[in-house]
Amino acid sequence: MTEERRKDTLETSETLPFIEKPFAISDEARKSENESGREDDGKDTHCGFWILKGPSMQRFATEKMYVILYGLAGCVMTMTFAYFNATITTLEKRYKIPTKVSGIISVGNDISTMLTAAILGYYAGHGHRPRWMGIGLLTIVAFCLLTSSLHFLYGAGEDALKLTREFGQVNETLASQERDKKLCQPSAGGCVQEEVGQWVPQVFLFAAQLIAGVGQALFYTLGIAYMDDNASKSKTPAMLSMSTFLRMLGPAIGYSLAALCLRLYIEPTLEPLIGREDPRWLGAWWLGWLVLAAMTLVSAILLFMFPKELPSSKRRRLQLKQTERKQSLPLKERSFGDMMKTVRKLSKNKVYIYNTIASILYFFGYMAYWIFTPKYIETQYRQSAAMATMATGTVALGFSAAGVLISGYVISKYRPSARAMACWNAIVDFVTVAGILCYVAIGCEGSDRLNSLTTLSAGNSCSASCHCDYVHYAPVCSPENITYISACHAGCTERTKDALGRTIYTGCQCLGSSSLNPQPESQFAVDGTCPVDCFSEFLIFLGVMCFLKLVGASSKSTNLLIALRCMPPEEKTFALGLGSMVASLLGFIPSPVFFGWLIDNYCLVWGKTCSNKGNCWLYDTKSLRYALNLSAAVFIFLGGFLNIAVWYHAKDLKIFDDEQSPKDSLKNTNNEVEMKPIDSKPLAN
């Protein structure tokens, strides 16, 4: 390294807040550095690859640039998973998928993460980590393209096309026959023909999620360890906070992108006959995946350019080489036997074990809201898919980002102890439980009343022919503002149009049956669901959710710092990978399946395919609200007690390096002060 280049590095570090100023390099350290440089020709610290390299690229090989790029790449990755969650109800309707099955599909990435995280973290952790991370992002590109390709293979679907103006213009006879199916026709046997099931798209979606999980494992396991290894420990909280903040912008942008796409009809070139508030509306779910694929590809290319080791980190490592540290020891060849010894060693680390289990319990309970919040808002508060995704993403996740920034500032400024961090994690768990209990109380009477439509007409002979286990959901609204599953369930026999062009069903014998003097003129129904005003309750729910997002996000940095500091540095990458694998096995995988099964248990109106149940059209909202929220609260409540155990055993855990004065730094240069990493010693059991 020339004197001019060292000067440039020093000047650059003055302007970058996340970079610790490099130590003055002694003659012996400089000699060691020159020898190391001759060995690898500077390749390990060289920025760029292939034709995208050169002297002008080396200025970007800094800690600050890595934090920004890693955060932005993480932002794009979280956009993809948020987009999938935001469009999951549309996918259920389009491909007739029960919620339990969609829950299984959504954990495909966690299954592959579980199977690969520990192995990739152990073996790839000592390779060129930024390039491995870039490969991981390429698998996310494949995930986006595979998912969107379903639309190009299967099209918009017959159900969606039947609800467009062009469908009747192309084939008026077929359109008329389709409308007649909704009427009460006892001679036809009542039950409608079963719809064609499509299991191939479900397998396709699951396979795409499996591929994405490999990229997720590479990106998170290697990315955090690379950041911690290439930065001063005192700067790690600020760097984690900044990268987490950038990552958390991803769900907000992903949900906003989904809201924009879902406002368009699934086939944008056709004119739909229903509004966005109609539960049969299908948005252009496939459109956003093409945008996400392009953004992820750019992020992968940029990550490929980062060096194996940052120049500033190499200088620190060369200084530590003068002391009796692990950096002075040659790297051992990685073997399966050594990996199992590391597993046994970590299993005796109480802080690591309790912190991991506490995180798993929190994830298990809160996963229901990460995945099914848009669906929850649609069913409980009768909001459109676009409104539900916008509220979940842009508004609520904005509070999450604020929580991460605030916690990062507080941690960097006040440098709390490990015990204080564990105590805060426990407080966050118990506050979250209190907020979830508030969810139980925030119901909507108008929405809950809709679940009475099944029993309302079940005992009436006027619509007996329509009562099958599976029905075609085509709701109509009576003058009493009661929604019926279909015109057949309302006992309607005729169909006409009013002056506004709306479809009106007449001769509806089931309407007014509860009145003493039913009037024939009132026995009509309008196509579509009755309007339900749940907006006030929705705003209250949104306020509580934003508060929980703010509080919950503040524990992300504290939880991760405890995880990073409770293990020796040489075990860091593997321990993160192992923790990710266990979290996937016990939390991320079973939780969506469990809550998907729970939601399906409260379905009132099922669609039907030739081979299985289809998607659910209507839920018992009140019972679902109690079951879903109370179940989630139990798991998070148990996690709070595990964080108390972390607090008890973390009394000797150090999070930060000891503060050093300028004189100490000069002494360090001459090797007169021993530099002792705070996490180089395993925790006492």
mmCIF file with all atom_site columns, all heavy atoms in Angstrom, residues 25 104 110 118-119 123 145 189 208 273 320 333 343 373 399 404 411 428 514 535 576 628 638 646 662:
data_model
loop_
_atom_site.group_PDB
_atom_site.id
_atom_site.type_symbol
_atom_site.label_atom_id
_atom_site.label_alt_id
_atom_site.label_comp_id
_atom_site.label_asym_id
_atom_site.label_entity_id
_atom_site.label_seq_id
_atom_site.pdbx_PDB_ins_code
_atom_site.Cartn_x
_atom_site.Cartn_y
_atom_site.Cartn_z
_atom_site.occupancy
_atom_site.B_iso_or_equiv
_atom_site.pdbx_formal_charge
_atom_site.auth_seq_id
_atom_site.auth_comp_id
_atom_site.auth_asym_id
_atom_site.auth_atom_id
_atom_site.pdbx_PDB_model_num
ATOM 1   N N   . ILE A 1 25  ? -0.068  2.322   11.194  1.00 0.00 ? 25  ILE A N   1
ATOM 2   C CA  . ILE A 1 25  ? 0.523   1.016   10.924  1.00 0.00 ? 25  ILE A CA  1
ATOM 3   C C   . ILE A 1 25  ? 2.019   1.047   11.234  1.00 0.00 ? 25  ILE A C   1
ATOM 4   O O   . ILE A 1 25  ? 2.764   1.884   10.727  1.00 0.00 ? 25  ILE A O   1
ATOM 5   C CB  . ILE A 1 25  ? 0.291   0.614   9.446   1.00 0.00 ? 25  ILE A CB  1
ATOM 6   C CG1 . ILE A 1 25  ? -1.204  0.608   9.158   1.00 0.00 ? 25  ILE A CG1 1
ATOM 7   C CG2 . ILE A 1 25  ? 0.898   -0.741  9.151   1.00 0.00 ? 25  ILE A CG2 1
ATOM 8   C CD1 . ILE A 1 25  ? -1.534  0.252   7.738   1.00 0.00 ? 25  ILE A CD1 1
ATOM 9   N N   . ILE A 1 104 ? -48.662 -23.672 3.495   1.00 0.00 ? 104 ILE A N   1
ATOM 10  C CA  . ILE A 1 104 ? -47.582 -24.624 3.177   1.00 0.00 ? 104 ILE A CA  1
ATOM 11  C C   . ILE A 1 104 ? -46.699 -24.071 2.068   1.00 0.00 ? 104 ILE A C   1
ATOM 12  O O   . ILE A 1 104 ? -45.468 -24.182 2.111   1.00 0.00 ? 104 ILE A O   1
ATOM 13  C CB  . ILE A 1 104 ? -48.186 -25.981 2.775   1.00 0.00 ? 104 ILE A CB  1
ATOM 14  C CG1 . ILE A 1 104 ? -48.923 -26.605 3.962   1.00 0.00 ? 104 ILE A CG1 1
ATOM 15  C CG2 . ILE A 1 104 ? -47.106 -26.927 2.260   1.00 0.00 ? 104 ILE A CG2 1
ATOM 16  C CD1 . ILE A 1 104 ? -49.673 -27.880 3.624   1.00 0.00 ? 104 ILE A CD1 1
ATOM 17  N N   . ASP A 1 110 ? -38.610 -21.356 3.736   1.00 0.00 ? 110 ASP A N   1
ATOM 18  C CA  . ASP A 1 110 ? -38.070 -21.684 5.051   1.00 0.00 ? 110 ASP A CA  1
ATOM 19  C C   . ASP A 1 110 ? -37.585 -23.131 5.114   1.00 0.00 ? 110 ASP A C   1
ATOM 20  O O   . ASP A 1 110 ? -36.639 -23.440 5.846   1.00 0.00 ? 110 ASP A O   1
ATOM 21  C CB  . ASP A 1 110 ? -39.139 -21.444 6.122   1.00 0.00 ? 110 ASP A CB  1
ATOM 22  C CG  . ASP A 1 110 ? -39.534 -19.988 6.223   1.00 0.00 ? 110 ASP A CG  1
ATOM 23  O OD1 . ASP A 1 110 ? -38.649 -19.160 6.483   1.00 0.00 ? 110 ASP A OD1 1
ATOM 24  O OD2 . ASP A 1 110 ? -40.714 -19.674 6.022   1.00 0.00 ? 110 ASP A OD2 1
ATOM 25  N N   . ALA A 1 118 ? -27.217 -23.881 7.691   1.00 0.00 ? 118 ALA A N   1
ATOM 26  C CA  . ALA A 1 118 ? -26.071 -24.261 8.516   1.00 0.00 ? 118 ALA A CA  1
ATOM 27  C C   . ALA A 1 118 ? -24.898 -24.728 7.655   1.00 0.00 ? 118 ALA A C   1
ATOM 28  O O   . ALA A 1 118 ? -23.745 -24.344 7.892   1.00 0.00 ? 118 ALA A O   1
ATOM 29  C CB  . ALA A 1 118 ? -26.480 -25.362 9.495   1.00 0.00 ? 118 ALA A CB  1
ATOM 30  N N   . ILE A 1 119 ? -25.177 -25.547 6.630   1.00 0.00 ? 119 ILE A N   1
ATOM 31  C CA  . ILE A 1 119 ? -24.100 -26.064 5.775   1.00 0.00 ? 119 ILE A CA  1
ATOM 32  C C   . ILE A 1 119 ? -23.458 -24.935 4.972   1.00 0.00 ? 119 ILE A C   1
ATOM 33  O O   . ILE A 1 119 ? -22.223 -24.825 4.901   1.00 0.00 ? 119 ILE A O   1
ATOM 34  C CB  . ILE A 1 119 ? -24.653 -27.151 4.832   1.00 0.00 ? 119 ILE A CB  1
ATOM 35  C CG1 . ILE A 1 119 ? -25.162 -28.338 5.665   1.00 0.00 ? 119 ILE A CG1 1
ATOM 36  C CG2 . ILE A 1 119 ? -23.584 -27.614 3.854   1.00 0.00 ? 119 ILE A CG2 1
ATOM 37  C CD1 . ILE A 1 119 ? -25.846 -29.409 4.844   1.00 0.00 ? 119 ILE A CD1 1
ATOM 38  N N   . TYR A 1 123 ? -19.438 -23.762 5.306   1.00 0.00 ? 123 TYR A N   1
ATOM 39  C CA  . TYR A 1 123 ? -18.462 -23.916 4.229   1.00 0.00 ? 123 TYR A CA  1
ATOM 40  C C   . TYR A 1 123 ? -18.262 -22.629 3.418   1.00 0.00 ? 123 TYR A C   1
ATOM 41  O O   . TYR A 1 123 ? -17.134 -22.282 3.081   1.00 0.00 ? 123 TYR A O   1
ATOM 42  C CB  . TYR A 1 123 ? -18.877 -25.068 3.308   1.00 0.00 ? 123 TYR A CB  1
ATOM 43  C CG  . TYR A 1 123 ? -18.744 -26.418 3.964   1.00 0.00 ? 123 TYR A CG  1
ATOM 44  C CD1 . TYR A 1 123 ? -19.853 -27.088 4.456   1.00 0.00 ? 123 TYR A CD1 1
ATOM 45  C CD2 . TYR A 1 123 ? -17.497 -27.018 4.122   1.00 0.00 ? 123 TYR A CD2 1
ATOM 46  C CE1 . TYR A 1 123 ? -19.736 -28.325 5.078   1.00 0.00 ? 123 TYR A CE1 1
ATOM 47  C CE2 . TYR A 1 123 ? -17.369 -28.256 4.737   1.00 0.00 ? 123 TYR A CE2 1
ATOM 48  C CZ  . TYR A 1 123 ? -18.479 -28.895 5.215   1.00 0.00 ? 123 TYR A CZ  1
ATOM 49  O OH  . TYR A 1 123 ? -18.358 -30.111 5.841   1.00 0.00 ? 123 TYR A OH  1
ATOM 50  N N   . LEU A 1 145 ? -39.294 -14.817 -11.517 1.00 0.00 ? 145 LEU A N   1
ATOM 51  C CA  . LEU A 1 145 ? -39.679 -15.167 -12.881 1.00 0.00 ? 145 LEU A CA  1
ATOM 52  C C   . LEU A 1 145 ? -40.558 -16.413 -12.921 1.00 0.00 ? 145 LEU A C   1
ATOM 53  O O   . LEU A 1 145 ? -41.512 -16.491 -13.714 1.00 0.00 ? 145 LEU A O   1
ATOM 54  C CB  . LEU A 1 145 ? -38.425 -15.368 -13.733 1.00 0.00 ? 145 LEU A CB  1
ATOM 55  C CG  . LEU A 1 145 ? -37.558 -14.119 -13.944 1.00 0.00 ? 145 LEU A CG  1
ATOM 56  C CD1 . LEU A 1 145 ? -36.312 -14.464 -14.755 1.00 0.00 ? 145 LEU A CD1 1
ATOM 57  C CD2 . LEU A 1 145 ? -38.365 -13.022 -14.647 1.00 0.00 ? 145 LEU A CD2 1
ATOM 58  N N   . GLY A 1 189 ? -81.470 -29.664 -10.088 1.00 0.00 ? 189 GLY A N   1
ATOM 59  C CA  . GLY A 1 189 ? -80.775 -30.310 -8.989  1.00 0.00 ? 189 GLY A CA  1
ATOM 60  C C   . GLY A 1 189 ? -80.077 -29.349 -8.068  1.00 0.00 ? 189 GLY A C   1
ATOM 61  O O   . GLY A 1 189 ? -79.513 -29.742 -7.068  1.00 0.00 ? 189 GLY A O   1
ATOM 62  N N   . ALA A 1 208 ? -40.892 -22.652 -6.508  1.00 0.00 ? 208 ALA A N   1
ATOM 63  C CA  . ALA A 1 208 ? -40.272 -21.329 -6.578  1.00 0.00 ? 208 ALA A CA  1
ATOM 64  C C   . ALA A 1 208 ? -39.862 -20.852 -5.189  1.00 0.00 ? 208 ALA A C   1
ATOM 65  O O   . ALA A 1 208 ? -38.783 -20.259 -5.011  1.00 0.00 ? 208 ALA A O   1
ATOM 66  C CB  . ALA A 1 208 ? -41.245 -20.331 -7.217  1.00 0.00 ? 208 ALA A CB  1
ATOM 67  N N   . LEU A 1 273 ? -66.740 -5.861  -14.745 1.00 0.00 ? 273 LEU A N   1
ATOM 68  C CA  . LEU A 1 273 ? -68.102 -5.441  -14.422 1.00 0.00 ? 273 LEU A CA  1
ATOM 69  C C   . LEU A 1 273 ? -68.316 -5.288  -12.923 1.00 0.00 ? 273 LEU A C   1
ATOM 70  O O   . LEU A 1 273 ? -69.420 -4.943  -12.488 1.00 0.00 ? 273 LEU A O   1
ATOM 71  C CB  . LEU A 1 273 ? -69.112 -6.460  -14.979 1.00 0.00 ? 273 LEU A CB  1
ATOM 72  C CG  . LEU A 1 273 ? -69.142 -6.607  -16.508 1.00 0.00 ? 273 LEU A CG  1
ATOM 73  C CD1 . LEU A 1 273 ? -70.075 -7.733  -16.922 1.00 0.00 ? 273 LEU A CD1 1
ATOM 74  C CD2 . LEU A 1 273 ? -69.559 -5.291  -17.161 1.00 0.00 ? 273 LEU A CD2 1
ATOM 75  N N   . LEU A 1 320 ? -3.711  -7.085  14.640  1.00 0.00 ? 320 LEU A N   1
ATOM 76  C CA  . LEU A 1 320 ? -4.009  -8.125  15.622  1.00 0.00 ? 320 LEU A CA  1
ATOM 77  C C   . LEU A 1 320 ? -3.111  -9.342  15.442  1.00 0.00 ? 320 LEU A C   1
ATOM 78  O O   . LEU A 1 320 ? -2.951  -10.153 16.347  1.00 0.00 ? 320 LEU A O   1
ATOM 79  C CB  . LEU A 1 320 ? -5.471  -8.547  15.496  1.00 0.00 ? 320 LEU A CB  1
ATOM 80  C CG  . LEU A 1 320 ? -6.510  -7.500  15.904  1.00 0.00 ? 320 LEU A CG  1
ATOM 81  C CD1 . LEU A 1 320 ? -7.909  -8.019  15.653  1.00 0.00 ? 320 LEU A CD1 1
ATOM 82  C CD2 . LEU A 1 320 ? -6.342  -7.126  17.362  1.00 0.00 ? 320 LEU A CD2 1
ATOM 83  N N   . GLU A 1 333 ? -8.759  -26.710 7.779   1.00 0.00 ? 333 GLU A N   1
ATOM 84  C CA  . GLU A 1 333 ? -9.664  -27.209 6.757   1.00 0.00 ? 333 GLU A CA  1
ATOM 85  C C   . GLU A 1 333 ? -10.994 -27.575 7.413   1.00 0.00 ? 333 GLU A C   1
ATOM 86  O O   . GLU A 1 333 ? -11.037 -28.231 8.448   1.00 0.00 ? 333 GLU A O   1
ATOM 87  C CB  . GLU A 1 333 ? -9.052  -28.439 6.083   1.00 0.00 ? 333 GLU A CB  1
ATOM 88  C CG  . GLU A 1 333 ? -9.884  -28.962 4.934   1.00 0.00 ? 333 GLU A CG  1
ATOM 89  C CD  . GLU A 1 333 ? -9.240  -30.150 4.260   1.00 0.00 ? 333 GLU A CD  1
ATOM 90  O OE1 . GLU A 1 333 ? -8.077  -30.433 4.578   1.00 0.00 ? 333 GLU A OE1 1
ATOM 91  O OE2 . GLU A 1 333 ? -9.902  -30.787 3.426   1.00 0.00 ? 333 GLU A OE2 1
ATOM 92  N N   . VAL A 1 343 ? -21.326 -27.733 17.019  1.00 0.00 ? 343 VAL A N   1
ATOM 93  C CA  . VAL A 1 343 ? -22.729 -27.864 17.420  1.00 0.00 ? 343 VAL A CA  1
ATOM 94  C C   . VAL A 1 343 ? -22.830 -28.220 18.897  1.00 0.00 ? 343 VAL A C   1
ATOM 95  O O   . VAL A 1 343 ? -23.635 -27.639 19.644  1.00 0.00 ? 343 VAL A O   1
ATOM 96  C CB  . VAL A 1 343 ? -23.440 -28.933 16.559  1.00 0.00 ? 343 VAL A CB  1
ATOM 97  C CG1 . VAL A 1 343 ? -24.832 -29.227 17.100  1.00 0.00 ? 343 VAL A CG1 1
ATOM 98  C CG2 . VAL A 1 343 ? -23.534 -28.488 15.111  1.00 0.00 ? 343 VAL A CG2 1
ATOM 99  N N   . THR A 1 373 ? -51.922 -10.794 7.495   1.00 0.00 ? 373 THR A N   1
ATOM 100 C CA  . THR A 1 373 ? -52.548 -9.522  7.860   1.00 0.00 ? 373 THR A CA  1
ATOM 101 C C   . THR A 1 373 ? -53.428 -8.951  6.751   1.00 0.00 ? 373 THR A C   1
ATOM 102 O O   . THR A 1 373 ? -54.552 -8.489  7.019   1.00 0.00 ? 373 THR A O   1
ATOM 103 C CB  . THR A 1 373 ? -51.485 -8.495  8.281   1.00 0.00 ? 373 THR A CB  1
ATOM 104 O OG1 . THR A 1 373 ? -50.890 -8.914  9.514   1.00 0.00 ? 373 THR A OG1 1
ATOM 105 C CG2 . THR A 1 373 ? -52.108 -7.133  8.514   1.00 0.00 ? 373 THR A CG2 1
ATOM 106 N N   . PHE A 1 399 ? -43.767 2.523   10.588  1.00 0.00 ? 399 PHE A N   1
ATOM 107 C CA  . PHE A 1 399 ? -43.509 2.565   12.022  1.00 0.00 ? 399 PHE A CA  1
ATOM 108 C C   . PHE A 1 399 ? -42.424 1.561   12.409  1.00 0.00 ? 399 PHE A C   1
ATOM 109 O O   . PHE A 1 399 ? -41.643 1.806   13.333  1.00 0.00 ? 399 PHE A O   1
ATOM 110 C CB  . PHE A 1 399 ? -44.800 2.292   12.788  1.00 0.00 ? 399 PHE A CB  1
ATOM 111 C CG  . PHE A 1 399 ? -45.716 3.477   12.863  1.00 0.00 ? 399 PHE A CG  1
ATOM 112 C CD1 . PHE A 1 399 ? -46.562 3.792   11.805  1.00 0.00 ? 399 PHE A CD1 1
ATOM 113 C CD2 . PHE A 1 399 ? -45.733 4.292   13.972  1.00 0.00 ? 399 PHE A CD2 1
ATOM 114 C CE1 . PHE A 1 399 ? -47.405 4.892   11.855  1.00 0.00 ? 399 PHE A CE1 1
ATOM 115 C CE2 . PHE A 1 399 ? -46.571 5.397   14.040  1.00 0.00 ? 399 PHE A CE2 1
ATOM 116 C CZ  . PHE A 1 399 ? -47.411 5.701   12.986  1.00 0.00 ? 399 PHE A CZ  1
ATOM 117 N N   . VAL A 1 404 ? -36.686 0.753   14.257  1.00 0.00 ? 404 VAL A N   1
ATOM 118 C CA  . VAL A 1 404 ? -35.307 0.308   14.058  1.00 0.00 ? 404 VAL A CA  1
ATOM 119 C C   . VAL A 1 404 ? -34.329 1.479   14.179  1.00 0.00 ? 404 VAL A C   1
ATOM 120 O O   . VAL A 1 404 ? -33.281 1.380   14.826  1.00 0.00 ? 404 VAL A O   1
ATOM 121 C CB  . VAL A 1 404 ? -35.166 -0.371  12.675  1.00 0.00 ? 404 VAL A CB  1
ATOM 122 C CG1 . VAL A 1 404 ? -33.704 -0.613  12.345  1.00 0.00 ? 404 VAL A CG1 1
ATOM 123 C CG2 . VAL A 1 404 ? -35.934 -1.680  12.657  1.00 0.00 ? 404 VAL A CG2 1
ATOM 124 N N   . ILE A 1 411 ? -29.040 2.659   21.184  1.00 0.00 ? 411 ILE A N   1
ATOM 125 C CA  . ILE A 1 411 ? -27.989 1.686   21.499  1.00 0.00 ? 411 ILE A CA  1
ATOM 126 C C   . ILE A 1 411 ? -26.606 2.284   21.271  1.00 0.00 ? 411 ILE A C   1
ATOM 127 O O   . ILE A 1 411 ? -25.687 2.119   22.086  1.00 0.00 ? 411 ILE A O   1
ATOM 128 C CB  . ILE A 1 411 ? -28.168 0.416   20.654  1.00 0.00 ? 411 ILE A CB  1
ATOM 129 C CG1 . ILE A 1 411 ? -29.455 -0.304  21.066  1.00 0.00 ? 411 ILE A CG1 1
ATOM 130 C CG2 . ILE A 1 411 ? -26.976 -0.519  20.810  1.00 0.00 ? 411 ILE A CG2 1
ATOM 131 C CD1 . ILE A 1 411 ? -29.832 -1.454  20.146  1.00 0.00 ? 411 ILE A CD1 1
ATOM 132 N N   . VAL A 1 428 ? -40.813 -6.049  25.332  1.00 0.00 ? 428 VAL A N   1
ATOM 133 C CA  . VAL A 1 428 ? -41.447 -5.972  24.009  1.00 0.00 ? 428 VAL A CA  1
ATOM 134 C C   . VAL A 1 428 ? -42.412 -7.140  23.807  1.00 0.00 ? 428 VAL A C   1
ATOM 135 O O   . VAL A 1 428 ? -43.518 -6.973  23.278  1.00 0.00 ? 428 VAL A O   1
ATOM 136 C CB  . VAL A 1 428 ? -40.367 -5.951  22.903  1.00 0.00 ? 428 VAL A CB  1
ATOM 137 C CG1 . VAL A 1 428 ? -40.990 -6.187  21.531  1.00 0.00 ? 428 VAL A CG1 1
ATOM 138 C CG2 . VAL A 1 428 ? -39.629 -4.624  22.914  1.00 0.00 ? 428 VAL A CG2 1
ATOM 139 N N   . SER A 1 514 ? -88.660 -13.181 7.078   1.00 0.00 ? 514 SER A N   1
ATOM 140 C CA  . SER A 1 514 ? -88.722 -12.940 8.510   1.00 0.00 ? 514 SER A CA  1
ATOM 141 C C   . SER A 1 514 ? -89.769 -11.902 8.858   1.00 0.00 ? 514 SER A C   1
ATOM 142 O O   . SER A 1 514 ? -90.059 -11.662 10.020  1.00 0.00 ? 514 SER A O   1
ATOM 143 C CB  . SER A 1 514 ? -87.346 -12.461 9.017   1.00 0.00 ? 514 SER A CB  1
ATOM 144 O OG  . SER A 1 514 ? -86.980 -11.275 8.358   1.00 0.00 ? 514 SER A OG  1
ATOM 145 N N   . PHE A 1 535 ? -64.979 1.011   8.569   1.00 0.00 ? 535 PHE A N   1
ATOM 146 C CA  . PHE A 1 535 ? -63.781 1.842   8.425   1.00 0.00 ? 535 PHE A CA  1
ATOM 147 C C   . PHE A 1 535 ? -63.286 2.366   9.772   1.00 0.00 ? 535 PHE A C   1
ATOM 148 O O   . PHE A 1 535 ? -62.081 2.454   10.001  1.00 0.00 ? 535 PHE A O   1
ATOM 149 C CB  . PHE A 1 535 ? -64.069 3.009   7.480   1.00 0.00 ? 535 PHE A CB  1
ATOM 150 C CG  . PHE A 1 535 ? -62.822 3.700   6.998   1.00 0.00 ? 535 PHE A CG  1
ATOM 151 C CD1 . PHE A 1 535 ? -61.953 3.068   6.125   1.00 0.00 ? 535 PHE A CD1 1
ATOM 152 C CD2 . PHE A 1 535 ? -62.510 4.976   7.428   1.00 0.00 ? 535 PHE A CD2 1
ATOM 153 C CE1 . PHE A 1 535 ? -60.802 3.693   5.685   1.00 0.00 ? 535 PHE A CE1 1
ATOM 154 C CE2 . PHE A 1 535 ? -61.353 5.608   7.000   1.00 0.00 ? 535 PHE A CE2 1
ATOM 155 C CZ  . PHE A 1 535 ? -60.497 4.967   6.119   1.00 0.00 ? 535 PHE A CZ  1
ATOM 156 N N   . LEU A 1 576 ? -24.971 -18.474 13.319  1.00 0.00 ? 576 LEU A N   1
ATOM 157 C CA  . LEU A 1 576 ? -26.097 -17.772 12.700  1.00 0.00 ? 576 LEU A CA  1
ATOM 158 C C   . LEU A 1 576 ? -26.850 -18.692 11.740  1.00 0.00 ? 576 LEU A C   1
ATOM 159 O O   . LEU A 1 576 ? -28.077 -18.693 11.697  1.00 0.00 ? 576 LEU A O   1
ATOM 160 C CB  . LEU A 1 576 ? -25.600 -16.528 11.971  1.00 0.00 ? 576 LEU A CB  1
ATOM 161 C CG  . LEU A 1 576 ? -25.100 -15.367 12.845  1.00 0.00 ? 576 LEU A CG  1
ATOM 162 C CD1 . LEU A 1 576 ? -24.517 -14.268 11.970  1.00 0.00 ? 576 LEU A CD1 1
ATOM 163 C CD2 . LEU A 1 576 ? -26.220 -14.826 13.711  1.00 0.00 ? 576 LEU A CD2 1
ATOM 164 N N   . LEU A 1 628 ? -57.543 -16.857 16.308  1.00 0.00 ? 628 LEU A N   1
ATOM 165 C CA  . LEU A 1 628 ? -56.261 -16.464 15.721  1.00 0.00 ? 628 LEU A CA  1
ATOM 166 C C   . LEU A 1 628 ? -55.428 -15.628 16.692  1.00 0.00 ? 628 LEU A C   1
ATOM 167 O O   . LEU A 1 628 ? -54.252 -15.931 16.940  1.00 0.00 ? 628 LEU A O   1
ATOM 168 C CB  . LEU A 1 628 ? -56.515 -15.680 14.433  1.00 0.00 ? 628 LEU A CB  1
ATOM 169 C CG  . LEU A 1 628 ? -55.279 -15.145 13.704  1.00 0.00 ? 628 LEU A CG  1
ATOM 170 C CD1 . LEU A 1 628 ? -54.466 -16.292 13.134  1.00 0.00 ? 628 LEU A CD1 1
ATOM 171 C CD2 . LEU A 1 628 ? -55.677 -14.180 12.590  1.00 0.00 ? 628 LEU A CD2 1
ATOM 172 N N   . LEU A 1 638 ? -44.999 -16.923 25.995  1.00 0.00 ? 638 LEU A N   1
ATOM 173 C CA  . LEU A 1 638 ? -43.976 -17.879 26.426  1.00 0.00 ? 638 LEU A CA  1
ATOM 174 C C   . LEU A 1 638 ? -42.576 -17.385 26.050  1.00 0.00 ? 638 LEU A C   1
ATOM 175 O O   . LEU A 1 638 ? -41.615 -17.570 26.806  1.00 0.00 ? 638 LEU A O   1
ATOM 176 C CB  . LEU A 1 638 ? -44.244 -19.245 25.795  1.00 0.00 ? 638 LEU A CB  1
ATOM 177 C CG  . LEU A 1 638 ? -45.530 -19.959 26.238  1.00 0.00 ? 638 LEU A CG  1
ATOM 178 C CD1 . LEU A 1 638 ? -45.714 -21.254 25.446  1.00 0.00 ? 638 LEU A CD1 1
ATOM 179 C CD2 . LEU A 1 638 ? -45.498 -20.252 27.730  1.00 0.00 ? 638 LEU A CD2 1
ATOM 180 N N   . VAL A 1 646 ? -32.661 -15.318 29.320  1.00 0.00 ? 646 VAL A N   1
ATOM 181 C CA  . VAL A 1 646 ? -31.491 -14.695 28.676  1.00 0.00 ? 646 VAL A CA  1
ATOM 182 C C   . VAL A 1 646 ? -30.937 -13.594 29.577  1.00 0.00 ? 646 VAL A C   1
ATOM 183 O O   . VAL A 1 646 ? -29.716 -13.481 29.769  1.00 0.00 ? 646 VAL A O   1
ATOM 184 C CB  . VAL A 1 646 ? -31.873 -14.120 27.299  1.00 0.00 ? 646 VAL A CB  1
ATOM 185 C CG1 . VAL A 1 646 ? -30.696 -13.371 26.688  1.00 0.00 ? 646 VAL A CG1 1
ATOM 186 C CG2 . VAL A 1 646 ? -32.334 -15.230 26.362  1.00 0.00 ? 646 VAL A CG2 1
ATOM 187 N N   . PRO A 1 662 ? -7.068  8.401   22.412  1.00 0.00 ? 662 PRO A N   1
ATOM 188 C CA  . PRO A 1 662 ? -6.072  8.524   21.358  1.00 0.00 ? 662 PRO A CA  1
ATOM 189 C C   . PRO A 1 662 ? -4.723  7.967   21.785  1.00 0.00 ? 662 PRO A C   1
ATOM 190 O O   . PRO A 1 662 ? -4.006  7.385   20.989  1.00 0.00 ? 662 PRO A O   1
ATOM 191 C CB  . PRO A 1 662 ? -6.017  10.043  21.103  1.00 0.00 ? 662 PRO A CB  1
ATOM 192 C CG  . PRO A 1 662 ? -7.377  10.535  21.515  1.00 0.00 ? 662 PRO A CG  1
ATOM 193 C CD  . PRO A 1 662 ? -7.774  9.686   22.661  1.00 0.00 ? 662 PRO A CD  1
#
